Amino acid sequence: MEKDILEILEFDKIREKLADLSPSTLSKERALHLTPSYVPEVVEKSLEETDEASVLLEKEITTPLGETYDIRPLLKKAEKDSTLSAREFLDLANSLDTYKKMHHYFEGEKHLMYPVLEELSALIVPQDSLIDRIHRVFDDHGEVKDSASLKLSRIRTQKETVKSRIRRSFQHILQDKDMAPYLQDAIITQRNGRYVVPVKEEYRYKFSGIVHDRSSTGQTLFMEPMVSVELNNDLAEMTAAEKQEIQEILRDLTEEVKKTVEVTRNNCHLATELEFIFARARLALSMKAVKAVRSKGQVLDLRKARHPLIPEDKVVPVSMTLGKTFNILIITGSNAGGKTIAIKTAGLLSLMNQSGLFIPAADGSSLPVYDHIYAIIGDEQSIQDNLSTFSSYITQLVSFLPTVGEKDLVLLDELGSGTDPVEGAALAQSVTEYLQMKGAPAIITSHFSEMKKLAYETRGIQNAFVEFDEKTLAPTYRLIIGVAGNSNAFNICRRFGMPDVILGRAIQLKNESPLHNMDEVMERLNRQSREIAKEKEETMKTLTQAEQLKNQLESARDEFYQRKDSILEKAREEAESMKRDLRVQSESIIKDLKKSASALSREKLGDKISEVRGRVNGIAVPGKENRRDPLPKEDIKKGTWVYIDTIESEGSIVSVSRNQVTVRCGLIQVKVTPDHLFKAVKPKKETFKNPYAHKKAPMTRSVTAVHTELNIIGKTVDEAIPEVDRFLNECFMAGVSPVRIIHGKGTGSLRRGVQDYLRTLNFVTEFHEADPANGGAGVTEVYF
């Protein structure tokens, strides 16, 4: 993108808005140097980043942002072996802490919600060692801690001891009544790093000490008592040693920074990029902007687009298309009616989109990625080069016309103006035809009637006009595509008080013009267009109401089905409970029957018991309503993916034999009649893996509604039996055998209760403890 295009379309002001929303010096710098990209993949990724950041700002309580600084100068300083200052180390530590926060922010579920941002943050390398080292050396105020080194700790301890001795010696002087007349004040202060007392000037020779300073009036001398000179000397030496040790600590720490300078610099770059992404997101939210849909082909479709630099309460949204049925749009209409704003909006929004920014427009707006955007807008007269307005315009025009192509966008304001109207109109037509021949998308503003006529007569070129309200004699700034407009020059002159005599003569001359009929046609088409627009608006209102009614009906239907399912589910659970209670009662009766029916033969007794159990198990329980379409007979063939209502599972038909169909559901095969087969919701190709392909195959596999094992560890016998009963019924109906009941070892009471219950079930042929490798006494395997 050429630099002058960014200036012409005022993209620099968008950069400034973006910089104001950027949190750090580096991200502000990044914003002010933002340039659009012409690579579709780069543009799409940038828009995805902005999209995720916008969602995060609206949904999350916290963000990955924090306190960062421009650490580039201090990194260069470290590379040159210049010792860093305490302030620089603190800025570095705060920045490194934020980089670490950014790296860890998207861990957990957030990496699924924000994959693009997580991919960027994952590249940041946490520098825990360097962070800890800096924090061990400095406190929150930037002072070097005593614990920074053993030597520093020892020096400061000794220093405090000396200070304490100095204070005691000074206290003796201050409390000495003989010394009191000599002192200006009974205080201890410092001069040149040495402790002193204020002595009256007239007693300087009576006070034994060294003068280090005097007051501004000269009446007070700050003197160091001779008794504390040695102590002050010791203190000075320790202070010097302290400074030397601190300097050594800072040099060592600077060396640590130097070792990781490349990692730190890369982290700084990545963190700046994240900050810049969130600045783009904040700009999108502040503008109520949307992500433009990536256009298929070179279609520009802006819906209710707003110029981002015009206040929201003053801007009039415009809608325009380009690249669907026409590649060139010619906008006509009155002066100050919004023609230039319309083409600037199209150009600026295209630049924003290709910079990873959202655009202030309605949802559904789409933009292509242009290779170049060429624009000639406004008075570009070059005084320095001694060029007129027209000459400057032509100079810019010829700079790109030879190379313009199908993937470029051309914006031309008042093409052909600034010269003889006849020659200008001819030139404007010729340039327009050339752009159409090259297939270059273009939006052109013009006042020439010849250009309106060209658009009406030429396929691929379309008229548009900015509406003018003839009642108020003012533009509405609405852009209407499909119809050409007129300049409304006379109406504007009347509005601004042009004398009637002049206007009358101008209208007379206009009526004598051979193109007068064209203006009448324009006016008639404008009226028709307004009528059509009004009818369209009413139609859209009707469609909206119909859509709302449809949504209400669908919601009511869904609510009805939910209530129906809830009632059926409750009834099914109650029926299951009744059936379970009945089975328990029947088994009790059967036990009594066994005890009292010793006279009956064993065979007859067994048949009678089987009959009673069969009748209990045969009690029908209402199931969930199946709303799937029946499977056509021609689809009942091997390989078809089907739904089985009896087990509420999907599977693939393995074989068909007369009135019986074998279906594989995961690891099991089920045989059912065709009337239990229905169309699957989402047909798919079954992928079957050999469960024995690995050395340690998992003990359990599941299909949609049937499991092959039940875990009841921690439950009482009374709590476990209903679950065991339901589990065994489902497995028996699905044809699954054997199954496993995991009850654990414990005291053995749960195992005995379950196994006692299994003995009462006639459809259980065998059960026993699992082998030691599969759970031993903690698991019971059941066969049907």
PDB file of all heavy atoms in Angstrom, residues 381-410:
ATOM      1  N   GLN A 381      -3.533  19.807  -5.849  1.00  0.00           N
ATOM      2  CA  GLN A 381      -2.700  20.718  -6.630  1.00  0.00           C
ATOM      3  C   GLN A 381      -1.310  20.847  -6.015  1.00  0.00           C
ATOM      4  O   GLN A 381      -1.174  21.009  -4.812  1.00  0.00           O
ATOM      5  CB  GLN A 381      -3.368  22.090  -6.712  1.00  0.00           C
ATOM      6  CG  GLN A 381      -2.554  23.115  -7.506  1.00  0.00           C
ATOM      7  CD  GLN A 381      -3.339  24.382  -7.720  1.00  0.00           C
ATOM      8  OE1 GLN A 381      -4.559  24.350  -7.809  1.00  0.00           O
ATOM      9  NE2 GLN A 381      -2.647  25.501  -7.802  1.00  0.00           N
ATOM     10  N   SER A 382      -0.298  20.745  -6.852  1.00  0.00           N
ATOM     11  CA  SER A 382       1.091  20.818  -6.375  1.00  0.00           C
ATOM     12  C   SER A 382       1.691  22.169  -6.738  1.00  0.00           C
ATOM     13  O   SER A 382       2.045  22.423  -7.871  1.00  0.00           O
ATOM     14  CB  SER A 382       1.920  19.690  -6.991  1.00  0.00           C
ATOM     15  OG  SER A 382       3.258  19.812  -6.609  1.00  0.00           O
ATOM     16  N   ILE A 383       1.757  23.074  -5.730  1.00  0.00           N
ATOM     17  CA  ILE A 383       2.340  24.396  -5.973  1.00  0.00           C
ATOM     18  C   ILE A 383       3.841  24.269  -6.176  1.00  0.00           C
ATOM     19  O   ILE A 383       4.440  24.921  -7.025  1.00  0.00           O
ATOM     20  CB  ILE A 383       2.028  25.320  -4.782  1.00  0.00           C
ATOM     21  CG1 ILE A 383       0.512  25.500  -4.662  1.00  0.00           C
ATOM     22  CG2 ILE A 383       2.724  26.661  -4.933  1.00  0.00           C
ATOM     23  CD1 ILE A 383       0.086  26.287  -3.437  1.00  0.00           C
ATOM     24  N   GLN A 384       4.458  23.365  -5.403  1.00  0.00           N
ATOM     25  CA  GLN A 384       5.908  23.201  -5.472  1.00  0.00           C
ATOM     26  C   GLN A 384       6.336  22.789  -6.879  1.00  0.00           C
ATOM     27  O   GLN A 384       7.337  23.255  -7.399  1.00  0.00           O
ATOM     28  CB  GLN A 384       6.355  22.171  -4.444  1.00  0.00           C
ATOM     29  CG  GLN A 384       7.859  21.957  -4.426  1.00  0.00           C
ATOM     30  CD  GLN A 384       8.260  20.944  -3.363  1.00  0.00           C
ATOM     31  OE1 GLN A 384       7.434  20.483  -2.596  1.00  0.00           O
ATOM     32  NE2 GLN A 384       9.540  20.633  -3.334  1.00  0.00           N
ATOM     33  N   ASP A 385       5.550  21.869  -7.498  1.00  0.00           N
ATOM     34  CA  ASP A 385       5.908  21.402  -8.842  1.00  0.00           C
ATOM     35  C   ASP A 385       5.256  22.235  -9.929  1.00  0.00           C
ATOM     36  O   ASP A 385       5.305  21.879 -11.105  1.00  0.00           O
ATOM     37  CB  ASP A 385       5.485  19.938  -9.000  1.00  0.00           C
ATOM     38  CG  ASP A 385       6.235  19.041  -8.035  1.00  0.00           C
ATOM     39  OD1 ASP A 385       7.379  19.384  -7.696  1.00  0.00           O
ATOM     40  OD2 ASP A 385       5.670  18.001  -7.623  1.00  0.00           O
ATOM     41  N   ASN A 386       4.617  23.374  -9.553  1.00  0.00           N
ATOM     42  CA  ASN A 386       3.985  24.279 -10.510  1.00  0.00           C
ATOM     43  C   ASN A 386       2.944  23.545 -11.368  1.00  0.00           C
ATOM     44  O   ASN A 386       2.893  23.702 -12.580  1.00  0.00           O
ATOM     45  CB  ASN A 386       5.054  24.931 -11.410  1.00  0.00           C
ATOM     46  CG  ASN A 386       4.497  26.147 -12.143  1.00  0.00           C
ATOM     47  OD1 ASN A 386       3.559  26.775 -11.661  1.00  0.00           O
ATOM     48  ND2 ASN A 386       5.060  26.450 -13.293  1.00  0.00           N
ATOM     49  N   LEU A 387       2.140  22.701 -10.698  1.00  0.00           N
ATOM     50  CA  LEU A 387       1.112  21.954 -11.405  1.00  0.00           C
ATOM     51  C   LEU A 387      -0.258  22.467 -11.008  1.00  0.00           C
ATOM     52  O   LEU A 387      -0.523  22.740  -9.840  1.00  0.00           O
ATOM     53  CB  LEU A 387       1.211  20.462 -11.065  1.00  0.00           C
ATOM     54  CG  LEU A 387       2.485  19.742 -11.504  1.00  0.00           C
ATOM     55  CD1 LEU A 387       2.464  18.315 -10.981  1.00  0.00           C
ATOM     56  CD2 LEU A 387       2.639  19.761 -13.009  1.00  0.00           C
ATOM     57  N   SER A 388      -1.163  22.592 -11.995  1.00  0.00           N
ATOM     58  CA  SER A 388      -2.539  22.962 -11.700  1.00  0.00           C
ATOM     59  C   SER A 388      -3.264  21.766 -11.109  1.00  0.00           C
ATOM     60  O   SER A 388      -2.734  20.658 -11.069  1.00  0.00           O
ATOM     61  CB  SER A 388      -3.235  23.405 -12.988  1.00  0.00           C
ATOM     62  OG  SER A 388      -3.361  22.291 -13.871  1.00  0.00           O
ATOM     63  N   THR A 389      -4.512  21.996 -10.685  1.00  0.00           N
ATOM     64  CA  THR A 389      -5.319  20.907 -10.144  1.00  0.00           C
ATOM     65  C   THR A 389      -5.469  19.794 -11.169  1.00  0.00           C
ATOM     66  O   THR A 389      -5.292  18.611 -10.853  1.00  0.00           O
ATOM     67  CB  THR A 389      -6.703  21.437  -9.741  1.00  0.00           C
ATOM     68  OG1 THR A 389      -6.536  22.447  -8.750  1.00  0.00           O
ATOM     69  CG2 THR A 389      -7.579  20.329  -9.196  1.00  0.00           C
ATOM     70  N   PHE A 390      -5.795  20.155 -12.386  1.00  0.00           N
ATOM     71  CA  PHE A 390      -6.003  19.152 -13.437  1.00  0.00           C
ATOM     72  C   PHE A 390      -4.698  18.416 -13.750  1.00  0.00           C
ATOM     73  O   PHE A 390      -4.681  17.179 -13.871  1.00  0.00           O
ATOM     74  CB  PHE A 390      -6.549  19.832 -14.693  1.00  0.00           C
ATOM     75  CG  PHE A 390      -6.802  18.870 -15.826  1.00  0.00           C
ATOM     76  CD1 PHE A 390      -7.898  18.006 -15.794  1.00  0.00           C
ATOM     77  CD2 PHE A 390      -5.951  18.808 -16.924  1.00  0.00           C
ATOM     78  CE1 PHE A 390      -8.139  17.113 -16.826  1.00  0.00           C
ATOM     79  CE2 PHE A 390      -6.173  17.914 -17.942  1.00  0.00           C
ATOM     80  CZ  PHE A 390      -7.279  17.063 -17.903  1.00  0.00           C
ATOM     81  N   SER A 391      -3.602  19.158 -13.838  1.00  0.00           N
ATOM     82  CA  SER A 391      -2.314  18.538 -14.149  1.00  0.00           C
ATOM     83  C   SER A 391      -1.903  17.559 -13.055  1.00  0.00           C
ATOM     84  O   SER A 391      -1.400  16.467 -13.325  1.00  0.00           O
ATOM     85  CB  SER A 391      -1.238  19.607 -14.328  1.00  0.00           C
ATOM     86  OG  SER A 391      -1.569  20.468 -15.395  1.00  0.00           O
ATOM     87  N   SER A 392      -2.115  17.971 -11.799  1.00  0.00           N
ATOM     88  CA  SER A 392      -1.775  17.096 -10.682  1.00  0.00           C
ATOM     89  C   SER A 392      -2.617  15.829 -10.718  1.00  0.00           C
ATOM     90  O   SER A 392      -2.115  14.727 -10.472  1.00  0.00           O
ATOM     91  CB  SER A 392      -1.991  17.842  -9.358  1.00  0.00           C
ATOM     92  OG  SER A 392      -1.767  16.987  -8.263  1.00  0.00           O
ATOM     93  N   TYR A 393      -3.912  15.996 -11.036  1.00  0.00           N
ATOM     94  CA  TYR A 393      -4.822  14.848 -11.108  1.00  0.00           C
ATOM     95  C   TYR A 393      -4.336  13.849 -12.157  1.00  0.00           C
ATOM     96  O   TYR A 393      -4.247  12.646 -11.910  1.00  0.00           O
ATOM     97  CB  TYR A 393      -6.231  15.343 -11.461  1.00  0.00           C
ATOM     98  CG  TYR A 393      -7.347  14.391 -11.120  1.00  0.00           C
ATOM     99  CD1 TYR A 393      -8.244  14.676 -10.110  1.00  0.00           C
ATOM    100  CD2 TYR A 393      -7.528  13.198 -11.821  1.00  0.00           C
ATOM    101  CE1 TYR A 393      -9.287  13.815  -9.791  1.00  0.00           C
ATOM    102  CE2 TYR A 393      -8.548  12.323 -11.514  1.00  0.00           C
ATOM    103  CZ  TYR A 393      -9.427  12.635 -10.496  1.00  0.00           C
ATOM    104  OH  TYR A 393     -10.454  11.772 -10.188  1.00  0.00           O
ATOM    105  N   ILE A 394      -3.988  14.359 -13.337  1.00  0.00           N
ATOM    106  CA  ILE A 394      -3.554  13.486 -14.435  1.00  0.00           C
ATOM    107  C   ILE A 394      -2.220  12.822 -14.104  1.00  0.00           C
ATOM    108  O   ILE A 394      -1.989  11.647 -14.414  1.00  0.00           O
ATOM    109  CB  ILE A 394      -3.444  14.296 -15.751  1.00  0.00           C
ATOM    110  CG1 ILE A 394      -4.818  14.860 -16.128  1.00  0.00           C
ATOM    111  CG2 ILE A 394      -2.911  13.413 -16.877  1.00  0.00           C
ATOM    112  CD1 ILE A 394      -5.910  13.811 -16.246  1.00  0.00           C
ATOM    113  N   THR A 395      -1.330  13.554 -13.411  1.00  0.00           N
ATOM    114  CA  THR A 395      -0.044  12.969 -13.027  1.00  0.00           C
ATOM    115  C   THR A 395      -0.244  11.756 -12.134  1.00  0.00           C
ATOM    116  O   THR A 395       0.414  10.713 -12.307  1.00  0.00           O
ATOM    117  CB  THR A 395       0.807  14.022 -12.290  1.00  0.00           C
ATOM    118  OG1 THR A 395       1.039  15.137 -13.163  1.00  0.00           O
ATOM    119  CG2 THR A 395       2.149  13.438 -11.880  1.00  0.00           C
ATOM    120  N   GLN A 396      -1.155  11.890 -11.188  1.00  0.00           N
ATOM    121  CA  GLN A 396      -1.443  10.754 -10.300  1.00  0.00           C
ATOM    122  C   GLN A 396      -2.126   9.624 -11.058  1.00  0.00           C
ATOM    123  O   GLN A 396      -1.848   8.441 -10.827  1.00  0.00           O
ATOM    124  CB  GLN A 396      -2.355  11.213  -9.157  1.00  0.00           C
ATOM    125  CG  GLN A 396      -1.704  12.221  -8.217  1.00  0.00           C
ATOM    126  CD  GLN A 396      -2.671  12.684  -7.162  1.00  0.00           C
ATOM    127  OE1 GLN A 396      -2.943  11.957  -6.209  1.00  0.00           O
ATOM    128  NE2 GLN A 396      -3.206  13.888  -7.335  1.00  0.00           N
ATOM    129  N   LEU A 397      -3.006   9.988 -11.978  1.00  0.00           N
ATOM    130  CA  LEU A 397      -3.766   8.983 -12.712  1.00  0.00           C
ATOM    131  C   LEU A 397      -2.853   8.099 -13.560  1.00  0.00           C
ATOM    132  O   LEU A 397      -2.964   6.858 -13.539  1.00  0.00           O
ATOM    133  CB  LEU A 397      -4.815   9.684 -13.590  1.00  0.00           C
ATOM    134  CG  LEU A 397      -5.976   8.849 -14.134  1.00  0.00           C
ATOM    135  CD1 LEU A 397      -6.776   8.225 -13.009  1.00  0.00           C
ATOM    136  CD2 LEU A 397      -6.878   9.730 -14.998  1.00  0.00           C
ATOM    137  N   VAL A 398      -1.947   8.722 -14.276  1.00  0.00           N
ATOM    138  CA  VAL A 398      -1.078   7.949 -15.171  1.00  0.00           C
ATOM    139  C   VAL A 398      -0.039   7.139 -14.397  1.00  0.00           C
ATOM    140  O   VAL A 398       0.601   6.244 -14.958  1.00  0.00           O
ATOM    141  CB  VAL A 398      -0.370   8.860 -16.195  1.00  0.00           C
ATOM    142  CG1 VAL A 398      -1.376   9.565 -17.079  1.00  0.00           C
ATOM    143  CG2 VAL A 398       0.534   9.877 -15.494  1.00  0.00           C
ATOM    144  N   SER A 399       0.140   7.428 -13.102  1.00  0.00           N
ATOM    145  CA  SER A 399       1.130   6.691 -12.318  1.00  0.00           C
ATOM    146  C   SER A 399       0.695   5.245 -12.055  1.00  0.00           C
ATOM    147  O   SER A 399       1.542   4.383 -11.793  1.00  0.00           O
ATOM    148  CB  SER A 399       1.391   7.408 -10.994  1.00  0.00           C
ATOM    149  OG  SER A 399       0.246   7.343 -10.150  1.00  0.00           O
ATOM    150  N   PHE A 400      -0.616   4.954 -12.103  1.00  0.00           N
ATOM    151  CA  PHE A 400      -1.059   3.591 -11.819  1.00  0.00           C
ATOM    152  C   PHE A 400      -1.908   2.958 -12.923  1.00  0.00           C
ATOM    153  O   PHE A 400      -2.086   1.738 -12.928  1.00  0.00           O
ATOM    154  CB  PHE A 400      -1.844   3.547 -10.500  1.00  0.00           C
ATOM    155  CG  PHE A 400      -3.129   4.327 -10.486  1.00  0.00           C
ATOM    156  CD1 PHE A 400      -4.284   3.808 -11.057  1.00  0.00           C
ATOM    157  CD2 PHE A 400      -3.197   5.572  -9.887  1.00  0.00           C
ATOM    158  CE1 PHE A 400      -5.474   4.517 -11.025  1.00  0.00           C
ATOM    159  CE2 PHE A 400      -4.386   6.281  -9.857  1.00  0.00           C
ATOM    160  CZ  PHE A 400      -5.530   5.756 -10.426  1.00  0.00           C
ATOM    161  N   LEU A 401      -2.433   3.745 -13.859  1.00  0.00           N
ATOM    162  CA  LEU A 401      -3.304   3.169 -14.885  1.00  0.00           C
ATOM    163  C   LEU A 401      -2.634   2.035 -15.674  1.00  0.00           C
ATOM    164  O   LEU A 401      -3.279   1.020 -15.960  1.00  0.00           O
ATOM    165  CB  LEU A 401      -3.786   4.266 -15.849  1.00  0.00           C
ATOM    166  CG  LEU A 401      -4.942   5.140 -15.353  1.00  0.00           C
ATOM    167  CD1 LEU A 401      -5.318   6.188 -16.398  1.00  0.00           C
ATOM    168  CD2 LEU A 401      -6.151   4.285 -15.000  1.00  0.00           C
ATOM    169  N   PRO A 402      -1.354   2.142 -16.050  1.00  0.00           N
ATOM    170  CA  PRO A 402      -0.753   1.042 -16.815  1.00  0.00           C
ATOM    171  C   PRO A 402      -0.689  -0.285 -16.067  1.00  0.00           C
ATOM    172  O   PRO A 402      -0.673  -1.350 -16.703  1.00  0.00           O
ATOM    173  CB  PRO A 402       0.657   1.568 -17.125  1.00  0.00           C
ATOM    174  CG  PRO A 402       0.548   3.049 -17.013  1.00  0.00           C
ATOM    175  CD  PRO A 402      -0.439   3.289 -15.929  1.00  0.00           C
ATOM    176  N   THR A 403      -0.639  -0.249 -14.743  1.00  0.00           N
ATOM    177  CA  THR A 403      -0.448  -1.493 -13.972  1.00  0.00           C
ATOM    178  C   THR A 403      -1.695  -1.933 -13.214  1.00  0.00           C
ATOM    179  O   THR A 403      -1.675  -2.981 -12.562  1.00  0.00           O
ATOM    180  CB  THR A 403       0.694  -1.315 -12.954  1.00  0.00           C
ATOM    181  OG1 THR A 403       0.384  -0.223 -12.081  1.00  0.00           O
ATOM    182  CG2 THR A 403       2.013  -1.037 -13.668  1.00  0.00           C
ATOM    183  N   VAL A 404      -2.777  -1.168 -13.262  1.00  0.00           N
ATOM    184  CA  VAL A 404      -3.964  -1.502 -12.494  1.00  0.00           C
ATOM    185  C   VAL A 404      -4.556  -2.832 -12.967  1.00  0.00           C
ATOM    186  O   VAL A 404      -4.475  -3.181 -14.141  1.00  0.00           O
ATOM    187  CB  VAL A 404      -5.010  -0.366 -12.590  1.00  0.00           C
ATOM    188  CG1 VAL A 404      -5.668  -0.339 -13.967  1.00  0.00           C
ATOM    189  CG2 VAL A 404      -6.063  -0.510 -11.504  1.00  0.00           C
ATOM    190  N   GLY A 405      -5.116  -3.611 -12.030  1.00  0.00           N
ATOM    191  CA  GLY A 405      -5.629  -4.933 -12.387  1.00  0.00           C
ATOM    192  C   GLY A 405      -6.913  -5.296 -11.653  1.00  0.00           C
ATOM    193  O   GLY A 405      -7.496  -4.481 -10.929  1.00  0.00           O
ATOM    194  N   GLU A 406      -7.324  -6.545 -11.814  1.00  0.00           N
ATOM    195  CA  GLU A 406      -8.605  -7.015 -11.288  1.00  0.00           C
ATOM    196  C   GLU A 406      -8.635  -7.064  -9.763  1.00  0.00           C
ATOM    197  O   GLU A 406      -9.704  -7.028  -9.153  1.00  0.00           O
ATOM    198  CB  GLU A 406      -8.912  -8.415 -11.837  1.00  0.00           C
ATOM    199  CG  GLU A 406      -9.075  -8.460 -13.331  1.00  0.00           C
ATOM    200  CD  GLU A 406      -9.304  -9.877 -13.857  1.00  0.00           C
ATOM    201  OE1 GLU A 406      -9.200 -10.817 -13.029  1.00  0.00           O
ATOM    202  OE2 GLU A 406      -9.583 -10.036 -15.050  1.00  0.00           O
ATOM    203  N   LYS A 407      -7.473  -7.188  -9.110  1.00  0.00           N
ATOM    204  CA  LYS A 407      -7.436  -7.303  -7.654  1.00  0.00           C
ATOM    205  C   LYS A 407      -7.118  -5.976  -6.973  1.00  0.00           C
ATOM    206  O   LYS A 407      -6.757  -5.953  -5.800  1.00  0.00           O
ATOM    207  CB  LYS A 407      -6.413  -8.357  -7.248  1.00  0.00           C
ATOM    208  CG  LYS A 407      -6.809  -9.766  -7.668  1.00  0.00           C
ATOM    209  CD  LYS A 407      -5.846 -10.807  -7.114  1.00  0.00           C
ATOM    210  CE  LYS A 407      -6.298 -12.212  -7.481  1.00  0.00           C
ATOM    211  NZ  LYS A 407      -5.383 -13.241  -6.927  1.00  0.00           N
ATOM    212  N   ASP A 408      -7.260  -4.873  -7.713  1.00  0.00           N
ATOM    213  CA  ASP A 408      -7.031  -3.543  -7.155  1.00  0.00           C
ATOM    214  C   ASP A 408      -8.360  -2.828  -6.967  1.00  0.00           C
ATOM    215  O   ASP A 408      -9.388  -3.247  -7.509  1.00  0.00           O
ATOM    216  CB  ASP A 408      -6.128  -2.716  -8.084  1.00  0.00           C
ATOM    217  CG  ASP A 408      -4.772  -3.370  -8.303  1.00  0.00           C
ATOM    218  OD1 ASP A 408      -4.297  -4.050  -7.367  1.00  0.00           O
ATOM    219  OD2 ASP A 408      -4.211  -3.214  -9.393  1.00  0.00           O
ATOM    220  N   LEU A 409      -8.349  -1.749  -6.200  1.00  0.00           N
ATOM    221  CA  LEU A 409      -9.518  -0.894  -6.024  1.00  0.00           C
ATOM    222  C   LEU A 409      -9.111   0.528  -6.390  1.00  0.00           C
ATOM    223  O   LEU A 409      -8.118   1.051  -5.875  1.00  0.00           O
ATOM    224  CB  LEU A 409     -10.026  -0.935  -4.576  1.00  0.00           C
ATOM    225  CG  LEU A 409     -11.190   0.002  -4.242  1.00  0.00           C
ATOM    226  CD1 LEU A 409     -12.435  -0.364  -5.052  1.00  0.00           C
ATOM    227  CD2 LEU A 409     -11.502  -0.002  -2.752  1.00  0.00           C
ATOM    228  N   VAL A 410      -9.912   1.158  -7.286  1.00  0.00           N
ATOM    229  CA  VAL A 410      -9.623   2.513  -7.746  1.00  0.00           C
ATOM    230  C   VAL A 410     -10.732   3.435  -7.265  1.00  0.00           C
ATOM    231  O   VAL A 410     -11.920   3.161  -7.457  1.00  0.00           O
ATOM    232  CB  VAL A 410      -9.524   2.560  -9.289  1.00  0.00           C
ATOM    233  CG1 VAL A 410      -9.237   3.980  -9.746  1.00  0.00           C
ATOM    234  CG2 VAL A 410      -8.441   1.607  -9.782  1.00  0.00           C
TER     235      VAL A 410
END
